[in-house]
Amino acid sequence: MKYISTRGGAPTLGFCDTLLAGLANDGGLYMPQTWPAIAHGSPDSIFATRAAEIIAPFIGDEISRGTLDVLCRDAYATFRDPLVAPLREIGDNRWLLELFHGPTLAFKDVALQLIGRLFDHVLAARGDCITVVGATSGDTGSAAIDGVKACRNVTMVILYPQGRISEVQRRQMTTVDAPNVHTIAVDGTFDDCQDLVKAMFNDATFRAQHHLSAVNSINWARVLAQVVYYFTAIEQLHAVDAPPVSFSVPTGNFGNVLSGWIARRCGANIGHLIVGSNANDILTRFFETQQMNAAPVVPTISPSMDIGVSSNFERLLFEMNSRDGMATAKQITNFRTSKKLAVTPEQFGTWIRPVFRGQRCSDDQTMAMIAATYRDHGVLVDPHTAVGLVATQACTKPLEPVVTLATAHPGKFADAVERATGVRPLLPEHLADLMSRQERFTSLPNDLTAIQRFVASVSATR
Ligand SMILES: *Cc1c(COP(=O)(O)O)cnc(C)c1O
């Protein structure tokens, strides 16, 4: 399989180069040149086996099937539930797809456990090593660290804003005892951390010298790995030859729900894709007005969805433009200055209306849904999952089969869940002693030179 940029100005790459590149060098995102047809499997398939089957056509011959099988098996052996992504029934034709049984308790583990292993395999084969640098405001950092902590060819440096993330989130990063993992507490905000990372990537000499790479949500392999559970959910429900199943997805960067769109495009028996947003509702407004309007980010109780612009939407836009990279590049460039992006009624009618529904959800509605789900079904859900459930309620017909993606473990957002229900969710056993583990981090000022000096001192190419 070959990959092309959504902006049409970057070299065509194979899977392994796409994996390592992250962003295309014209600023675009990589997309596969064609969409393979993927058949549904049987209800009792092993998740890791299905993962290898579904991912293999997107890799082609660059990684052997035997190797891919082993990488998938090892990645998903880290999950606490043998099904990896089990379903839980919550009412008639309503299910939760529990994606939080991985090491760091959020759905991002599904992709990042595999990506760490793919990185290590590809780099070892090439005799190369990289330094992954990232900024985090929460879930991504811990999932990325856990994904690469055993990689011999990857050094990881994660920047987080000191005093501005939850204690559980911080400890999930700072208590990982691995020689290749480094956490920096920056005296600044999340935006400062992101600016520092961007500045390091824009410093071409520094970037080349230390083989900098990224694992943020625009990496194609992350989107790809998430396609798997849309297929397996339908298979577990014995719904392959039944009426299509709709999926409701608590959404931030549009990565997870884009994976659902890809699954549908490749043949999964999916009906609608329901996009749940918190007060950061750029996508809901787009579904209402056919126009994207950027707005300032507001903090909510579902912080992993607090985004101003959903960067992965560019991939769908590229499809809506019949894969015209130049047209897509122009729209994105205009959007950056005007903060507006409109699609034509034809594009909206062809690509959006038949597939997508959108719903925004206030913090009060989120809290009420956490309470109602506990009262009616005895199930504790985290605030992100609750946003998905609000969207499910608003956007579906009573008997339509709907799977809502449960993207985080309730114990990860225990304060909000306790406030809503009066019950404090516990962390799973493997994290029960998290609050007493030894922390390791380096405090640095919000200063590029200081951060670069640190990265240089730990990078794999020093
Ligand atoms: C990252 C995250 C999301 C948003 O996912 P996107 O792919 O950015 O849309 C939702 N819920 C949780 C718990 C997350 O960590």
Side-chain angles (χ1 to χ4, degrees):
M1 180 68 83
K2 293 286 182 219
Y3 288 84
I4 53 178
S5 165
T6 51
R7 299 194 194 169
T12 299
L13 302 180
F15 176 82
C16 295
D17 285 321
T18 303
L19 169 78
L20 295 177
L23 202 67
N25 67 12
D26 60 355
L29 312 187
Y30 275 107
M31 285 281 267
Q33 213 157 33
T34 57
W35 295 116
I38 300 173
H40 268 298
S42 82
D44 42 34
S45 304
I46 308 280
F47 185 91
T49 309
R50 285 299 284 143
E53 284 167 4
I54 291 164
I55 291 169
F58 290 96
I59 295 183
D61 57 9
E62 289 195 0
I63 297 175
S64 78
R65 183 53 197 275
T67 300
L68 182 61
D69 282 341
V70 172
L71 296 176
C72 289
R73 191 192 64 204
D74 290 352
Y76 298 117
T78 65
F79 280 58
R80 295 180 307 286
D81 191 295
L83 290 177
V84 180
L87 287 160
R88 181 198 281 262
E89 193 165 359
I90 47 159
D92 286 347
N93 274 334
R94 295 287 184 277
W95 296 269
L96 287 175
L97 180 61
E98 296 183 348
L99 300 173
F100 52 69
H101 294 290
T104 74
L105 315 183
F107 87 95
K108 294 183 173 71
D109 286 326
V110 178
L112 285 162
Q113 285 297 318
L114 182 61
I115 285 192
R117 287 164 175 84
L118 282 167
F119 266 149
D120 220 27
H121 169 76
V122 171
L123 291 166
R126 294 180 176 191
D128 200 355
C129 52
I130 55 170
T131 308
V132 173
V133 182
T136 189
S137 58
D139 294 338
T140 306
S142 54
I145 286 174
D146 207 281
V148 307
K149 69 183 181 194
C151 297
R152 283 153 306 166
N153 303 292
V154 181
T155 297
M156 175 126 214
V157 182
I158 288 282
L159 281 59
Y160 68 87
Q162 173 131 49
R164 290 169 199 260
I165 62 174
S166 81
E167 186 171 9
V168 170
Q169 288 177 322
R170 185 189 76 238
R171 284 182 165 273
Q172 281 188 305
M173 296 192 284
T174 57
T175 60
V176 172
D177 186 16
N180 62 328
V181 169
H182 308 273
T183 46
I184 305 182
V186 176
D187 185 12
T189 63
F190 172 59
D191 285 338
D192 293 332
C193 294
Q194 270 195 316
D195 289 344
L196 289 163
V197 170
K198 270 189 212 146
M200 277 188 271
F201 275 89
N202 287 338
D203 180 340
T205 315
F206 187 80
R207 178 180 182 166
Q209 195 173 6
H210 298 293
H211 298 199
L212 295 196
S213 184
V215 288
N216 47 14
S217 77
I218 47 86
N219 190 301
W220 163 253
R222 276 185 67 175
V223 174
L224 173 59
Q226 293 162 185
V227 170
V228 175
Y229 45 72
Y230 288 91
F231 276 91
T232 60
I234 293 166
E235 291 155 14
Q236 277 183 61
L237 289 174
H238 295 260
V240 170
D241 297 310
V245 178
S246 293
F247 285 82
S248 177
V249 188
T251 297
N253 253 327
F254 204 74
N256 202 356
V257 70
L258 179 78
S259 301
W261 183 86
I262 292 167
R264 193 178 186 275
R265 177 71 185 75
C266 295
N269 187 28
I270 296 176
H272 290 121
L273 292 166
I274 300 154
V275 177
S277 303
N278 60 26
N280 300 287
D281 61 348
I282 183 168
L283 291 165
T284 309
R285 285 181 285 117
F286 171 70
F287 296 133
E288 286 166 355
T289 64
Q290 318 194 357
Q291 188 167 316
M292 225 26 112
N293 273 305
V297 179
V298 294
T300 71
I301 59 169
S302 44
S304 301
M305 294 154 55
D306 291 349
I307 51 89
V309 176
S310 302
S311 44
N312 265 302
F313 189 81
E314 181 169 336
R315 289 192 157 109
L316 185 62
L317 192 65
F318 178 65
E319 292 288 320
M320 293 171 75
N321 287 325
S322 309
R323 303 196 139 217
D324 180 342
M326 292 305 155
T328 308
K330 213 161 127 192
Q331 268 177 315
I332 297 286
T333 310
N334 282 341
F335 181 62
R336 242 189 259 126
T337 48
S338 70
K339 307 287 176 206
K340 280 191 184 54
L341 189 159
V343 300
T344 66
E346 291 72 33
Q347 284 176 314
F348 197 86
T350 307
W351 296 93
I352 303 295
R353 195 174 298 115
V355 184
F356 291 97
R357 303 272 182 272
Q359 178 67 31
R360 76 175 64 72
C361 172
S362 69
D363 279 357
D364 286 347
Q365 287 173 295
T366 307
M367 292 296 272
M369 182 53 83
I370 297 173
T373 307
Y374 184 62
R375 186 190 62 223
D376 298 343
H377 307 289
V379 178
L380 293 173
V381 293
D382 98 288
H384 303 80
T385 306
V387 170
L389 288 170
V390 169
T392 297
Q393 203 171 48
C395 299
T396 58
K397 295 192 211 76
L399 284 176
E400 186 179 347
V402 188
V403 171
T404 302
L405 271 49
T407 51
H409 189 286
K412 204 165 182 178
F413 298 92
D415 292 342
V417 176
E418 184 175 13
R419 256 188 295 133
T421 62
V423 179
R424 189 161 184 89
L426 297 175
L427 287 170
E429 210 170 320
H430 79 286
L431 288 171
D433 66 344
L434 184 68
M435 295 304 176
S436 59
R437 286 185 201 163
Q438 175 76 38
E439 291 192 77
R440 289 162 66 245
F441 60 91
T442 306
S443 293
L444 289 176
N446 175 16
D447 172 61
L448 183 60
T449 312
I451 307 274
Q452 282 186 317
R453 204 177 298 133
F454 180 88
V455 172
S457 75
V458 300
S459 101
T461 56
R462 68 188 178 277

